[in-house]
Amino acid sequence: MFSFVVNRVGFLKDIPLFAIIFDSLMRFWMFFTKPELLDWIDDLEENVTQMPGTTVGIHKYGGTEFNYMGKEFAHVHSNGLLDILLNKELKQSLMTEGKIKDHHLFKNSGWISFYLQNKQDLGYACYLLNKAYDHTKQKQNSIQLDTI
Amino acid sequence: MSLNKKLFKVLNSKILQGILIANIFAFLVIGIQSSLAPKDTGILVFSEFVIIPMLMGIITAWFWKDIEIRGKQITGYSILNGLIAILMSFFFLGEGFICLLIVSPLIFGFIISGAFIGRAMFKKRNQKLNISIGSLLLGIFIVDSLSDHYHENMVSDEILIHASTAEVWQHVVAFDPISQKENYWLFKIGMPSPMATTVSEHKLGANRKCIFSNGYIFDEKIVKFDVNKNLIFDIVDQPKDPEIMGHIDIKRGQFILKDNGNGTTTLIGNSWYNLHVFPTWYYDLWAESITRNVHFRVMEHIKLLSER
């Protein structure tokens, strides 16, 4: 369903609130069909909020957005699809582990996608989020140093 | 713990307060809006299904902002919030079960979104932003409520029948009761479906009656009677069913018979309706789907009778 909407009617995401409402309906569905997934998403959120300088918000295309100093480094959709921003080198090295995929839309970018399918995936998702956090923090700090 | 203490604890709970106040707010706004409406048009504007549920979600988020509450709990309590609103609509606004089933994705979608948007808003502790969002939603609500709303649509379907136009015509003007099983899910769960049609006379100006499965009757008047070619009828009276009352007005129906020259007939069924519920991008999907299934139920029956 998610893939169908993203691939076939993805242009609708530009309608204000459409993607957020769609994500809320996925959340509604998951509440009844796979409630543990919402627990895992909450666990991810708690994990991220413990990292200094992070905030959690709503992603413009639906889901929960994780930011470092206001800069997004990951977001998770309510069907368990975790999109994470890494750099291309890091992405390549992690790809060899076979657990992550190209971002479901931006294949040639530093973004990757990882599906939370069971509780064991939570540990790896936190590991990926830590990597993305470190990467974004490093990048932000170097930008700050450059401006000084 | 005594019963009084338990009751006090429940009533004092921020979760419950949020849900109660959100529902009271929604019904007050709908009540005020209905009483200020210039005339009883029965129109339900998009704000009632979009802005109010979203504000309900934001109100709950305001009550829940200082308590530890996880996303899953927000989802669960928002679903409860929506269920209460839907139940109140059933008991106090007289809405039908199927009608509420159709509206529920909008209600749940916007209440859950409102709760999460509210959570993000109140986390920022930016009063200017909160007031701006609140004012924007209120502004949209007022403008939408005061605007004229009119939507008319026509749905057209066709079917190939292996019979002559003269044979098909006999079953178009009036037909015996439909005995086939329902195959559209809304008909299966109780939405009335067409069962039979009677006619007072086979001529222009005659009265036609379309009888539905629950006994409801649509009174129609034949306004074009072009034998073997074209039948148009205006709907002059329709039942006050809670599922359709005030939400949709079927205005006119038409059957066009096209002789294909090879012993077959293409039967085209057209229906015109006015929709009184908005947003049309949502409700028109349902209205078209229902009308289409009414068409096919009747036209498949005409095909069966004609090809017999």
Side-chain angles (χ1 to χ4, degrees):
Chain A
M1 179 67 176
F2 180 80
S3 304
F4 173 81
V5 172
V6 169
N7 295 324
R8 298 292 173 89
V9 290
F11 60 92
L12 293 174
K13 70 181 186 299
D14 295 321
I15 298 172
L17 290 176
F18 178 86
I20 292 173
I21 304 303
F22 177 68
D23 193 83
S24 294
L25 288 172
M26 281 202 301
R27 184 167 264 279
F28 174 83
W29 181 252
M30 290 300 168
F31 185 83
F32 293 105
T33 57
K34 198 176 178 182
E36 63 276 15
L37 177 67
L38 300 184
D39 283 323
W40 305 336
I41 292 173
D42 287 338
D43 290 343
L44 282 186
E45 193 179 319
E46 277 176 14
N47 178 275
V48 169
T49 49
Q50 282 165 12
M51 301 173 187
T54 55
T55 52
V56 174
I58 294 181
H59 186 60
K60 63 179 173 179
Y61 296 142
T64 309
E65 180 176 294
F66 304 125
N67 306 303
Y68 172 73
M69 305 299 274
K71 166 96 177 136
E72 182 193 350
F73 65 89
H75 60 258
V76 58
H77 299 286
S78 295
N79 59 344
L81 179 63
L82 178 63
D83 293 327
I84 300 175
L85 178 62
L86 304 168
N87 58 28
K88 286 192 178 176
E89 296 75 46
L90 196 52
K91 178 178 171 178
Q92 280 310 316
S93 69
L94 287 170
M95 286 286 250
T96 56
E97 293 177 21
K99 290 183 178 175
I100 60 164
K101 289 179 180 171
D102 279 319
H103 184 272
H104 58 106
L105 285 180
F106 311 118
K107 305 221 181 291
N108 296 317
S109 68
W111 283 92
I112 58 121
S113 288
F114 176 70
Y115 258 108
L116 277 175
Q117 282 168 331
N118 51 52
K119 192 153 173 63
Q120 286 69 43
D121 290 337
L122 198 56
Y124 194 70
C126 289
Y127 164 75
L128 291 172
L129 284 170
N130 277 316
K131 287 267 181 200
Y133 170 76
D134 289 340
H135 165 64
T136 308
K137 189 177 168 185
Q138 218 170 28
K139 202 173 162 188
Q140 290 292 94
N141 289 349
S142 64
I143 290 170
Q144 277 177 351
L145 281 174
D146 286 349
T147 50
I148 293 167
Chain B
M1 198 186 285
S2 72
L3 190 67
N4 274 353
K5 275 187 181 170
K6 273 185 188 169
L7 192 66
F8 178 77
K9 200 179 167 191
V10 169
L11 287 175
N12 212 25
S13 128
K14 288 279 178 194
I15 300 285
L16 186 70
Q17 283 175 5
I19 293 174
L20 278 179
I21 299 297
N23 274 282
I24 291 169
F25 161 83
F27 277 82
L28 273 179
V29 171
I30 289 176
I32 292 168
Q33 190 204 28
S34 312
S35 62
L36 292 180
K39 54 183 183 228
D40 185 22
T41 53
I43 286 175
L44 293 170
V45 295
F46 95 91
S47 297
E48 283 164 297
F49 304 106
V50 173
I51 306 288
I52 290 181
M54 185 164 280
L55 282 170
M56 286 175 73
I58 292 175
I59 288 170
T60 55
W62 189 83
F63 277 90
W64 303 343
K65 69 184 186 328
D66 296 323
I67 55 173
E68 284 291 318
I69 183 165
R70 284 162 62 97
K72 184 184 172 185
Q73 289 172 293
I74 292 177
T75 311
Y77 290 130
S78 297
I79 292 170
L80 179 64
N81 195 11
L83 273 177
I84 292 172
I86 287 170
L87 279 175
M88 284 173 69
S89 304
F90 180 78
F91 288 112
F92 299 115
L93 301 180
E95 296 292 349
F97 162 72
I98 293 168
C99 190
L100 290 169
L101 188 73
I102 288 172
V103 78
S104 59
L106 280 184
I107 303 289
F108 288 122
F110 281 94
I111 285 184
I112 295 171
S113 299
F116 280 92
I117 288 171
R119 182 171 77 149
M121 276 165 62
F122 300 127
K123 256 187 197 167
K124 285 184 191 283
R125 299 190 186 278
N126 182 340
Q127 278 305 94
K128 271 187 190 169
L129 176 75
N130 298 347
I131 291 169
S132 304
I133 293 176
S135 309
L136 179 70
L137 292 176
L138 195 67
I140 294 172
F141 184 85
I142 293 169
V143 170
D144 183 38
S145 302
L146 297 176
S147 304
D148 281 336
H149 292 81
Y150 182 83
H151 180 76
E152 188 180 286
N153 196 13
M154 189 266 261
V155 176
S156 182
D157 293 295
E158 64 177 60
I159 193 170
L160 181 72
I161 300 177
H162 295 275
S164 66
T165 51
E167 181 63 38
V168 176
W169 179 259
Q170 287 181 38
H171 308 292
V172 158
V173 182
F175 53 80
D176 295 335
I178 301 174
S179 53
Q180 289 100 316
K181 272 188 166 180
E182 317 276 11
N183 52 13
Y184 180 49
W185 73 276
L186 278 177
F187 293 156
K188 282 183 186 171
I189 63 164
M191 173 164 269
S193 63
M195 284 303 289
T197 294
T198 61
V199 71
S200 60
E201 286 173 279
H202 283 252
K203 65 172 197 177
L204 186 70
N207 294 319
R208 197 171 179 264
K209 286 183 190 298
C210 185
I211 303 154
F212 275 70
S213 53
N214 59 352
Y216 283 142
I217 295 171
F218 279 70
D219 287 318
E220 301 161 355
K221 191 177 187 72
I222 295 176
V223 293
K224 189 166 180 83
F225 194 83
D226 197 355
V227 178
N228 298 346
K229 284 182 184 162
N230 191 355
L231 177 79
I232 301 179
F233 46 89
D234 283 345
I235 286 83
V236 290
D237 192 29
Q238 45 193 302
K240 304 286 179 222
D241 183 87
E243 303 295 359
I244 54 171
M245 189 171 57
H247 301 331
I248 188 168
D249 274 346
I250 315 291
K251 309 294 285 181
R252 169 173 277 200
Q254 179 182 33
F255 285 113
I256 298 171
L257 285 72
K258 277 190 184 167
D259 187 347
N260 296 323
N262 57 0
T264 67
T265 302
T266 299
L267 176 65
I268 301 169
N270 295 328
S271 291
W272 286 260
Y273 60 82
N274 280 352
L275 205 55
H276 299 301
V277 279
F278 296 82
T280 50
W281 53 259
Y282 182 75
Y283 290 109
D284 224 10
L285 291 176
W286 290 94
E288 276 192 32
S289 167
I290 293 165
T291 309
R292 192 141 280 148
N293 279 281
V294 167
H295 280 177
F296 280 118
R297 186 157 170 79
V298 170
M299 285 159 60
E300 292 281 0
H301 183 61
I302 292 171
K303 179 181 165 79
L304 189 84
L305 295 175
S306 307
E307 292 178 354
R308 194 177 280 169

